[in-house]
């Protein structure tokens, strides 16, 4: 992906551990992550590290899968655990990756639980914006002025 970014003209790319970003405190006006926070070693650890590198008043945007509420939840869970892994396994020959996907989506906090987690990690005014019936959610927040330690 980094090579593709370079081919498209992005001059500086960095490979880094999201738990220890190689940037000084308050470097960025915004941090975004799409379909990645769910796969990180520690959701609070990653969010605190994002807060560390965002300027006070800067913005966080997290886009990830979520669990929709009724009436879609039951049908979506069936699709997620029984239909998608089989179809994706046929196409990609990597069914195990799609078994993992469903499990990771089920375990990932969504809605108010994610809003609370984001605010516990140094952000203010966190909001959840459900998309596609709640199958995906966009979380937005502003970096607070609290000092983060640890």
């Amino acid at each position: 992906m980094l090579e593709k970014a370079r081919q498209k003209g992005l001059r500086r790319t960095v490979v880094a551990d999201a738990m220890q970003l190689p940037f000084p405190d308050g470097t960025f006006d915004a941090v975004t992550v799409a379909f990645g926070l769910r796969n990180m070693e520690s959701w609070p650890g990653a969010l605190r590290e994002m807060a560390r590198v965002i300027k006070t008043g800067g913005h966080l945007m997290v886009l990830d899968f979520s669990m929709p509420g009724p009436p879609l939840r039951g049908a979506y869970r069936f699709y997620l655990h029984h239909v998608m892994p089989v179809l994706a396994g046929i196409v990609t020959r990597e069914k195990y990756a799609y078994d993992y996907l469903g499990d990771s989506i089920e375990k990932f906090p969504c809605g108010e639980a994610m809003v609370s987690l984001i605010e516990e990690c140094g952000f203010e005014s966190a909001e959840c914006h459900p998309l596609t019936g709640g199958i995906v959610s966009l979380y937005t927040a502003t970096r607070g002025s609290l000092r983060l330690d640890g």
Side-chain angles (χ1 to χ4, degrees), residues 107-130:
K107 292 175 185 168
F108 193 60
C110 64
E112 287 305 311
M114 179 55 76
V115 166
S116 294
L117 179 60
I118 289 169
E119 289 184 345
E120 289 167 15
C121 292
F123 293 93
E124 298 173 347
S125 305
E127 295 180 353
C128 173
H129 307 275

Side-chain angles (χ1 to χ4, degrees), residues 22-33:
F23 307 107
D25 295 358
T27 300
F28 301 103
D29 293 320
V31 170
T32 67
V33 59

Side-chain angles (χ1 to χ4, degrees), residues 81-101:
H81 293 289
H82 301 289
V83 177
M84 184 197 39
V86 172
L87 293 177
I90 291 168
V91 172
T92 67
R93 299 178 196 245
E94 296 181 8
K95 180 181 178 292
Y96 67 91
Y98 295 90
D99 288 332
Y100 161 80
L101 179 63

Side-chain angles (χ1 to χ4, degrees), residues 45-87:
L47 288 165
R48 284 187 195 99
E49 186 65 355
M50 290 177 210
R52 182 187 68 76
V53 300
I54 297 175
K55 296 174 184 174
T56 298
H59 302 282
L60 172 73
M61 290 157 279
V62 175
L63 179 69
D64 219 312
F65 291 111
S66 51
M67 291 300 297
L72 288 178
R73 182 175 292 243
Y76 181 64
R77 288 188 79 228
F78 182 81
Y79 167 79
L80 194 60
H81 293 289
H82 301 289
V83 177
M84 184 197 39
V86 172
L87 293 177

